[in-house]
Amino acid sequence: MSELRSATGLSRFCSELKETLKTEIEHLLATSPTGHESRNVQHGLVEMEEMLSQTCIYLRQQYNACSFVARLSDELVTEILQYCHYDTTTFFPWTSPVIPPAFNLCARWRHIAICSPHLWAKIPLPMNANLLQLFSDRALSRPLDVVIRPNDNPRKGAHREIAHIGSTLLALVPRISQLRIRWDDDDAVGVPLGPSLDQHIGHREFTFLQELRISHDSSAQFTYTINAPNLRILHFRSANNVFPNIIAPDLVKLVLEETSLYYPEILAVLKHFPSLEQCIVRDVNLGWDDGGPPVSLVSLPKLRDLTLQKFLLHDMADAIDHIVIPSTTNITLSVISGSGDGVIFEEFISRWNVSSDEIQVYWNRIGADFVCTWTSKSGRKIDVTSGQLSLSTLAAHFPDLAVVNLHTPILPVQSLLVEALGHWKHITHLSVSTTDTEFERLLVALETTSEVLCPHLRVFGCPEGMLGTSRMMQFLDFRKNQGARIEEVKVITANDPSTFGY
């Protein structure tokens, strides 16, 4: 329908109504009406105005009903509203509109929002008391996701605000399933996190807490206790070297980052969480003094993934030696370049020589870090990022590999390339993702020596531009004539071009 059939009739009706009203009022005014008669006319006009207003609202509703948004299902509207929450990692003054405007887009959306308890289960503190009651009521019995960040603009009454956060948190403890604390002592008018939690929470049990994230900027050396027997995930970042007393015997994921803890202190932390399945440690304090107390072994029998990033090589080697993990645990390591401190990098990585069957090497430019991935016969993957490694050195320490995948735009100089290939006498699969020019240098290296390099090579991966070329056919004929025929040639590409500079 391009035009409503009633539009013309409505226009005629409105014109007639205006003319009728004008005539009647002019006649009334000409006869010098009494006050009672004038009030009756005014009352009638008000009633007509209200009816017309209701009609306008009705027309607007019908107009909205024709829009695309009005045809969205309740389920889709609910999903949209989930993404309309403000970023609660930022600070909310008590007067901030923490209810997203989209919740009141129209009567229908407002009704959907009010009837969706999970939309009200995310509570930033501090929050106005009336708003807090509103959120709590509308969330019904849903577990709560609470975010704490004190005001970053100290003012009169700020200490009262910190007390308000503490007392509110205490009241919400039985319902909290996720808790995120972003606390800067300067923002919190000098009130450290530890004493504040101890004062208001003490050892009160967070019975349903499953995920805890703490970001704490402070030089104060206060510890505190969080009793969360059902906690599963813990992210901890702190500028000082104090780790809180977290009571969580069944913790399965731990992330420690940007902390002043030394690696022996981190090992002491790990002892409290024997059920860990994933452990990530990055950006810790460097340069542990060996004169400190002895470091004892830590057993993590359920660990599936271990990540240690930005460690000195000495600390890395010592930490690895003191963590007892299953042979199937995947390991990701990032070593700071030039940080050997008496530890030889080649000896450090050679501990995985016997169990490794496959390796992938990413190298984006000369002088940059190698990213190596070893895959063991048991399925374990070991990722090591370091600048203290060359291809020939790597080959010398891993001569028994069966599968080698190289991703690099520049191969080593010819002599070092031949040296590296000479170590890999057992490989059956070799793939090299590089430029066509560099790949031709690889072919020359494989043809250079009197003894056939990589004699058991059967599957050869090459760049797309080299497949089927006369140069490739010449190389394949060479291998066939040498009694080391290649059975399959396939095209390969870099797995992650954006990361490795392709």
Side-chain angles (χ1 to χ4, degrees):
M1 185 189 313
S2 60
E3 182 178 353
L4 287 174
R5 289 191 296 269
S6 59
T8 303
L10 178 62
S11 176
R12 185 167 51 251
F13 169 78
C14 290
S15 297
E16 292 175 356
L17 176 64
K18 286 190 289 186
E19 287 299 324
T20 301
L21 288 173
K22 179 182 177 181
T23 301
E24 290 184 359
I25 291 175
E26 286 178 349
H27 175 74
L28 176 68
L29 294 176
T31 59
S32 300
T34 65
H36 177 70
E37 290 174 329
S38 296
R39 285 193 294 273
N40 284 342
V41 172
Q42 289 176 325
H43 179 71
L45 291 174
V46 168
E47 286 184 342
M48 292 178 64
E49 182 182 17
E50 290 178 352
M51 285 188 288
L52 289 173
S53 295
Q54 291 297 320
T55 301
C56 288
I57 293 173
Y58 176 76
L59 291 175
R60 173 56 62 180
Q61 290 173 342
Q62 299 310 304
Y63 174 85
N64 290 337
C66 296
S67 68
F68 170 76
V69 172
R71 297 196 298 271
L72 297 176
S73 67
D74 290 359
E75 293 75 14
L76 191 54
V77 172
T78 303
E79 187 171 349
I80 291 172
L81 293 177
Q82 289 185 89
Y83 293 95
C84 293
H85 275 289
Y86 289 96
D87 179 8
T88 49
T89 59
T90 60
F91 169 72
F92 284 95
W94 285 14
T95 57
S96 288
V98 294
I99 300 178
F103 283 25
N104 293 303
L105 181 67
C106 63
R108 175 173 172 248
W109 281 44
R110 183 174 185 273
H111 177 74
I112 292 174
I114 292 175
C115 296
S116 303
H118 66 281
L119 296 177
W120 306 92
K122 192 172 185 179
I123 298 182
L125 297 180
M127 177 186 275
N128 175 280
N130 292 331
L131 273 178
L132 178 63
Q133 187 63 51
L134 176 69
F135 272 62
S136 182
D137 291 345
R138 289 183 177 176
L140 301 180
S141 59
R142 297 275 302 195
L144 300 180
D145 177 0
V146 176
V147 181
I148 298 176
R149 185 179 181 184
N151 190 351
D152 57 4
N153 183 23
R155 66 197 184 287
K156 183 178 179 180
H159 284 281
R160 179 170 55 85
E161 180 178 288
I162 299 300
H164 168 77
I165 292 175
S167 59
T168 304
L169 180 63
L170 178 61
L172 297 177
V173 161
R175 295 182 58 184
I176 298 176
S177 65
Q178 295 184 64
L179 176 60
R180 285 172 285 172
I181 302 175
R182 187 174 179 182
W183 193 286
D184 187 324
D185 287 358
D186 293 333
D187 292 348
V189 290
V191 180
L193 174 61
S196 181
L197 286 177
D198 274 346
Q199 176 185 353
H200 296 284
I201 305 300
H203 289 205
R204 179 75 176 272
E205 183 179 288
F206 288 80
T207 306
F208 298 105
L209 184 62
Q210 294 192 343
E211 182 173 350
L212 173 63
R213 294 172 181 262
I214 299 175
S215 178
H216 185 204
D217 292 318
S218 172
S219 57
Q221 303 295 305
F222 291 103
T223 187
Y224 49 93
T225 296
I226 295 182
N227 184 9
N230 294 302
L231 189 67
R232 294 295 180 268
I233 301 173
L234 172 61
H235 287 242
F236 182 78
R237 188 198 69 82
S238 176
N240 62 36
N241 62 347
V242 175
F243 187 81
N245 178 28
I246 306 289
I247 302 174
D250 297 320
L251 191 74
V252 296
K253 180 178 180 180
L254 173 65
V255 179
L256 297 176
E257 57 185 345
E258 297 180 29
T259 166
S260 296
L261 295 171
Y262 288 98
Y263 87 87
E265 296 167 326
I266 291 172
L267 294 179
V269 169
L270 297 183
K271 279 192 171 184
H272 294 285
F273 309 117
S275 297
L276 278 180
E277 296 178 11
Q278 185 178 6
C279 179
I280 301 173
V281 182
R282 61 170 73 98
D283 291 329
V284 299
N285 222 340
L286 304 175
W288 171 252
D289 182 6
D290 282 337
V295 180
S296 57
L297 293 178
V298 177
S299 179
L300 301 175
K302 299 181 180 179
L303 196 66
R304 294 185 289 106
D305 296 285
L306 173 64
T307 299
L308 305 177
Q309 294 180 329
K310 297 185 179 180
F311 271 61
L312 296 174
L313 181 56
H314 175 270
D315 292 350
M316 178 81 77
D318 220 17
I320 290 292
D321 287 340
H322 286 85
I323 302 177
V324 181
I325 55 179
S327 61
T328 55
T329 302
N330 295 322
I331 302 175
T332 301
L333 309 175
S334 174
V335 180
I336 297 176
S337 299
S339 63
D341 193 24
V343 177
I344 301 174
F345 184 75
E346 291 80 0
E347 293 180 356
F348 170 68
I349 64 172
S350 63
R351 67 184 66 201
W352 296 297
N353 180 4
V354 176
S355 62
S356 296
D357 182 59
E358 178 180 344
I359 189 171
Q360 292 202 51
V361 179
Y362 295 90
W363 187 36
N364 65 340
R365 65 187 185 277
I366 294 177
D369 285 353
F370 269 94
V371 180
C372 303
T373 301
W374 289 273
T375 302
S376 70
K377 299 176 180 65
S378 65
R380 162 191 273 183
K381 287 189 176 181
I382 302 170
D383 291 289
V384 177
T385 301
S386 175
Q388 307 179 53
L389 192 62
S390 67
L391 188 62
S392 57
T393 303
L394 179 68
H397 284 81
F398 289 83
D400 298 323
L401 294 171
V403 180
V404 175
N405 300 299
L406 305 179
H407 303 262
T408 173
I410 303 175
L411 292 169
V413 297
Q414 204 71 2
S415 59
L416 294 179
L417 183 56
V418 171
E419 180 183 344
L421 295 170
H423 290 295
W424 284 324
K425 299 182 183 301
H426 304 287
I427 64 171
T428 58
H429 294 64
L430 173 62
S431 296
V432 181
S433 177
T434 185
T435 64
D436 291 353
T437 302
E438 290 297 300
F439 193 82
E440 288 191 23
R441 290 185 51 234
L442 172 67
L443 299 182
V444 171
L446 286 167
E447 298 169 338
T448 297
T449 60
S450 56
E451 181 182 354
V452 177
L453 297 176
C454 307
H456 298 289
L457 183 61
R458 294 294 178 264
V459 179
F460 196 29
C462 69
E464 185 175 7
M466 292 299 298
L467 188 66
T469 63
S470 58
R471 181 65 183 91
M472 177 62 82
M473 300 306 296
Q474 176 186 340
F475 170 73
L476 294 177
D477 288 340
F478 166 79
R479 294 285 299 195
K480 182 178 179 180
N481 295 334
Q482 294 294 317
R485 180 175 176 270
I486 292 178
E487 299 174 355
E488 180 184 353
V489 178
K490 62 180 182 179
V491 174
I492 59 167
T493 57
N495 285 356
D496 192 353
S498 62
T499 301
F500 300 104
Y502 283 79

